[in-house]
Amino acid sequence: MRISKIESKKSNVILTLDDGNKLEFTKEILGEFYLYVNKELSEELLTQFRQYNEMAIHYAYVLRILSRHHYTVSEIRKKLFQRVVSLETSEKIITRLTEHRLLDDQSYAKNLTDYYQKQHYGPHYINEKLKQKGISDDIIDAVIELDDANQTESAKHLANKLVEKRGNHSKSALLNQIYSKLTRCGYSPSVASEVVSGLKDTLQFDEHESLLKDYLKARQILTRKYDDEKKIDDLVIKKLMQKGYRYPHIKKVIEEQKYVYQSI
């Protein structure tokens, strides 16, 4: 079996054999197998052509998606599986990509970790994100900073942002909110507790003023719905306690405001 004719067709090449059969492959095959007219072909060589052609097609696909977005080895493996690429071909593609550093889980993990750390996320959150991307435990351990001092400083920065954005909350409610946010963002309970404990001692917070604002707002809404003063007071107390205010402080504000209204 010999090649009788070679025709170029855009990105592909058509080989015409001496028995009249025509075979179409990617152009890469010409240089890879040094093809020319009258070259002798065996069935084994044709099988190699087909295998290489399959790899080249899917390799080009992976290059296209990598040009638009970064992926991990695991993510590329899943995409090739979805395209029903054979395991052998898939692994050849991944090996070729990693050898050319077009796939680099270490670099990917480092960049993603840096991004989340700049957003002040904690190590447990980052660890979970990397695992979702299919990054190996060895790489995760190498890129995530577990130094307690650095964790605490980052957690403090995030907590201070929450303090700056606080609405009308009681001090205890705000501290609980900060603790929950820190643990959701991947900080350990011990680090979150340390940060909240520090804020508890240093946070300058006029809780009476915050309570008064919330009281007046809640009362204004409820007086539009109800005429019964006792019912209004009970509902106001319930709403304010849900915000974290303590009952004695709420009662004090209610009494103060009743005195104000009586004086008008």
Side-chain angles (χ1 to χ4, degrees), residues 11-13 25-35 52-53 55-57 59-60 63 96:
S11 59
N12 290 345
V13 64
F25 300 107
T26 179
K27 276 187 177 179
E28 286 184 35
I29 206 168
L30 293 175
E32 186 68 22
F33 292 93
Y34 187 52
L35 300 183
Y52 184 87
N53 191 65
M55 188 201 71
I57 290 170
Y59 185 80
L63 289 180
R96 189 172 176 183

Side-chain angles (χ1 to χ4, degrees), residues 92-198:
K92 283 181 180 178
I93 291 170
I94 288 170
T95 298
R96 189 172 176 183
L97 290 165
T98 52
E99 285 176 351
H100 289 86
R101 297 187 65 80
L102 296 171
L103 272 183
D104 187 342
D105 278 6
Q106 182 88 23
S107 177
Y108 184 101
K110 182 67 170 65
N111 290 336
L112 194 63
T113 298
D114 289 345
Y115 169 79
Y116 281 121
Q117 285 179 340
K118 287 176 182 177
Q119 303 300 315
H120 300 288
Y121 283 96
H124 300 294
Y125 181 93
I126 299 171
N127 180 79
E128 189 59 33
K129 286 294 182 181
L130 293 176
K131 282 189 174 180
Q132 289 172 8
K133 294 289 185 178
I135 302 292
S136 70
D137 289 339
D138 288 344
I139 292 177
I140 292 174
D141 290 342
V143 300
I144 293 182
E145 177 62 66
L146 293 175
D147 181 75
D148 287 345
N150 289 340
Q151 279 192 60
T152 302
E153 285 306 309
S154 182
K156 283 180 180 178
H157 188 93
L158 179 57
N160 288 333
K161 280 189 171 183
L162 294 173
V163 171
E164 291 171 6
K165 293 179 180 178
R166 72 176 185 265
N168 291 329
H169 295 286
S170 68
K171 184 174 181 178
S172 60
L174 177 61
L175 293 175
N176 286 336
Q177 184 184 72
I178 290 171
Y179 179 87
S180 296
K181 178 70 173 179
L182 291 176
T183 52
R184 286 199 308 274
C185 285
Y187 294 99
S188 66
S190 61
V191 169
S193 295
E194 181 183 345
V195 171
V196 168
S197 179

Side-chain angles (χ1 to χ4, degrees), residues 2 15 53-54 108 132 175 196 214 236 252 256:
R2 294 176 181 274
L15 304 182
N53 191 65
E54 180 192 17
Y108 184 101
Q132 289 172 8
L175 293 175
V196 168
D214 278 341
V236 167
K252 182 179 179 182
E256 288 174 353

